[in-house]
Amino acid sequence: MFGAMIEPRIGYGYDIHRLKKGRKLILGGLEIPFERGLQGHSDADVVCHALSDAILGALALGDIGTHFPPSDPKWLNANSLHLLSDIWKMAENRQLILGNTDITVVAEEPKLAPHIDEMRSRLAKCLGAPVDRISIKATTNEGLGPEGRGEAISASAVCLLLVPGD
Ligand code: MG
């Protein structure tokens, strides 16, 4: 039986953005060479956005739009790794550490496998966590739906937040 102070918290997040010519493709804080990028008010990094929402979900503190409204010009082209870092401070302020996170990216192209480890290390640095607590998986959508037609890239994330043991 967990006491209130040592209760683990889980969270889930999902995001999708449309692919558009003339935009940089940023995933997990990393620029990935591709002829199109994700369209959005910020840099539209779906990996950071899904993970941010998972953390906020674990904290029951709303979602990324609550804290960084797209209507606010301050967040225009914002680096989503910085937004993630700000959100992570809310967990740290509650003395929580990252147990682990597992993220799935759905993209028909480009191939993400060569970039996964660099994304993991950027997220680990951002969250002050060992890289073995961060999993990123990439899959295609077998030609189905907006991701499968190459119109969009989506990501979903779960995370577990823990009170560190002594
Ligand atoms: Mg988003």
Side-chain angles (χ1 to χ4, degrees):
M1 183 83 176
F2 291 114
M5 295 302 291
I6 58 163
E7 188 179 86
R9 310 280 306 200
I10 68 163
Y12 168 74
Y14 166 81
D15 197 25
I16 185 167
H17 281 264
R18 192 180 290 273
L19 280 162
K20 192 188 174 195
K21 280 205 188 305
R23 291 273 299 184
K24 287 179 182 173
L25 179 60
I26 313 282
L27 291 173
L30 178 68
E31 184 177 340
I32 293 171
F34 191 49
E35 78 261 13
R36 291 176 296 155
L38 295 172
Q39 184 177 13
H41 186 69
S42 67
D43 62 11
D45 182 337
V46 288
V47 172
C48 284
H49 291 186
L51 178 54
S52 295
D53 267 357
I55 294 164
L56 287 169
L59 298 172
L61 285 176
D63 59 42
I64 194 169
T66 318
H67 297 274
F68 305 102
S71 53
D72 189 338
K74 193 170 159 188
W75 311 120
L76 183 66
N77 297 320
N79 179 333
S80 296
L81 215 47
H82 295 163
L83 308 185
L84 176 63
S85 171
D86 281 357
I87 285 166
W88 183 245
K89 287 191 186 93
M90 299 178 205
E92 285 184 327
N93 290 341
R94 288 159 178 78
Q95 278 74 55
L96 292 163
I97 61 163
L98 182 72
N100 71 303
T101 179
D102 185 21
I103 302 166
T104 298
V105 190
V106 182
E108 211 64 18
E109 52 176 3
K111 286 278 170 243
L112 298 179
H115 307 292
I116 295 280
D117 281 346
E118 180 58 26
M119 286 191 250
R120 290 174 67 213
S121 90
R122 289 188 185 209
L123 295 182
K125 195 172 167 197
C126 182
L127 303 182
V131 77
D132 67 359
R133 294 185 184 208
I134 311 234
S135 159
I136 302 179
K137 311 189 296 301
T139 183
T140 70
N141 227 19
E142 294 288 332
L144 297 164
E147 298 99 322
R149 290 189 297 269
E151 296 167 3
I153 291 177
S154 68
S156 54
V158 290
C159 73
L160 180 66
L161 305 186
L162 300 170
V163 176
D166 47 20

